[in-house]
Amino acid sequence: MFTTLISATDLAAHISDPNWVVVDCRHDLMNLSAGREAYNAGHLPGAVFADMETELSGAKRDEDGVFRGRHPLPSKDALVETLRRWGIDDDTQVIAYDAHGGMYAARLWWLLRWIGHEPSAVLDGGLPAWQALGQPVVTEVPVKPLGAITLQAPFVPTVTVAEVLENIESERRTVVDARAADRFRGENETIDPVGGHIPGAKNRFFKDNLHNDGRFKAPEQLREEFASVIDDPANAIMQCGSGVTACHNLLALEVAGMPGAALYPGSWSEWTADPARPVAKGA
């Protein structure tokens, strides 16, 4: 069973296994059709496509019309239905990949853990690592038999915006922001209407989890680097712009042997939707 990362070599050995499902999670925050177009142009054999906006995220506003962020979590029931449509059972090994160092694939990995599905992993190095081995890509769209995955107890915690707001005063937990340093400081904000960060948050850019080739750093290195940011993962909250790249930090923590941190799904996009919530700028 693979529960964090899988190498392209190991995936190639299992790509035709009947109870493995590979999911293409490619996406572009600035061009919402780019992921589907890339999938149609060529994907791993047997891979299904996951739409970040409609399948790996839920409605942007709740029943009262309150904005929940750019990529709120889908309902668990809706997620289970999506996974069944992809042919996933309770014991299916799921492999998520993208072409962005796991930036989007980690979201699916985390969502699976959120509904209690343990055998899920991210392709280390993504599509580039697969192609570097000379492995093929195809355009054929697979037809999967309906899966029977069921909702189980989650392996991962979440926190609400109210809990993050309360934490500013209590300082019981460490909030870690996965966005680039300039966006954290409130500079060059091009996605959300307000620049800056949650007061008291620390910055750990998700790309710092990777080597230059897009593969994750070794567990020992990740452990050393994260130890300078958080003391106890069980008292840490991971966030980003909209709850996507925060999952990359959560995956890196799992690789490092430091599980237990919570996700703030709404992240900066939800936080800044209410001007009454405080904003900090600078390092």
Side-chain angles (χ1 to χ4, degrees):
M1 182 192 303
F2 293 86
T3 59
T4 53
L5 299 173
I6 185 171
S7 69
T9 300
D10 284 337
L11 179 56
H14 292 279
I15 194 68
S16 299
D17 284 14
N19 202 29
W20 283 48
V21 171
V22 179
V23 185
D24 188 320
C25 300
R26 284 177 287 176
H27 186 58
D28 186 334
L29 295 173
M30 309 308 290
N31 178 5
L32 302 186
S33 64
R36 172 69 72 175
E37 291 169 358
Y39 173 82
N40 291 340
H43 50 264
L44 268 65
V48 298
F49 178 72
D51 189 291
M52 177 62 67
E53 303 294 320
T54 63
E55 294 173 323
L56 304 187
S57 303
K60 290 180 173 58
R61 295 187 181 275
D62 64 18
E63 295 177 353
D64 297 322
V66 177
F67 185 67
R68 300 170 55 224
R70 288 185 284 108
H71 295 101
L73 299 181
S75 74
K76 290 188 174 182
D77 288 342
L79 178 60
V80 166
E81 287 303 311
T82 296
L83 298 171
R84 288 176 177 171
R85 199 169 60 249
W86 293 340
I88 296 172
D89 297 321
D90 283 332
D91 60 349
T92 299
Q93 176 70 64
V94 182
I95 305 299
Y97 79 91
D98 56 34
H100 322 284
M103 175 180 182
Y104 302 112
R107 167 76 166 211
L108 176 57
W109 169 85
W110 185 91
L111 286 172
L112 286 160
R113 296 182 65 77
W114 182 54
I115 63 163
H117 188 79
E118 187 175 16
S120 65
V122 169
L123 175 58
D124 197 15
L127 181 62
W130 178 260
Q131 292 180 306
L133 287 181
Q135 293 294 327
V137 295
V138 301
T139 56
E140 179 184 0
V141 177
V143 177
K144 299 284 189 180
L146 192 63
I149 188 173
T150 55
L151 185 62
Q152 305 293 332
F155 298 132
V156 289
T158 60
V159 295
T160 64
V161 64
E163 289 174 282
V164 178
L165 184 61
E166 185 277 332
N167 188 69
I168 291 177
E169 290 191 8
S170 70
E171 297 182 337
R172 285 193 294 263
R173 305 171 83 171
T174 302
V175 176
V176 180
D177 191 323
R179 295 175 300 158
D182 57 345
R183 291 183 65 202
F184 179 82
R185 293 192 300 266
E187 305 163 3
N188 305 318
E189 181 58 63
T190 59
I191 300 177
D192 292 305
V194 179
H197 59 267
I198 296 170
K202 296 183 179 182
N203 188 209
R204 166 69 180 187
F205 187 27
F206 78 94
K207 288 187 178 179
D208 289 342
N209 300 324
L210 305 172
H211 293 295
N212 291 335
D213 63 0
R215 290 177 173 85
F216 276 74
K217 294 175 180 176
E220 304 78 29
Q221 185 174 356
L222 289 170
R223 192 155 49 244
E224 180 180 346
E225 293 178 7
F226 270 101
S228 67
V229 181
I230 58 176
D231 296 325
D232 178 7
N235 287 322
I237 298 169
M238 299 293 129
Q239 55 97 182
C240 54
S242 64
V244 176
T245 58
C247 296
H248 198 280
N249 275 350
L250 286 161
L251 173 57
L253 283 167
E254 200 77 26
V255 171
M258 301 171 67
L263 173 69
Y264 168 33
S267 285
W268 184 244
S269 57
E270 180 188 36
W271 184 264
T272 56
D274 184 347
R277 295 182 191 121
V279 169
K281 293 182 182 289

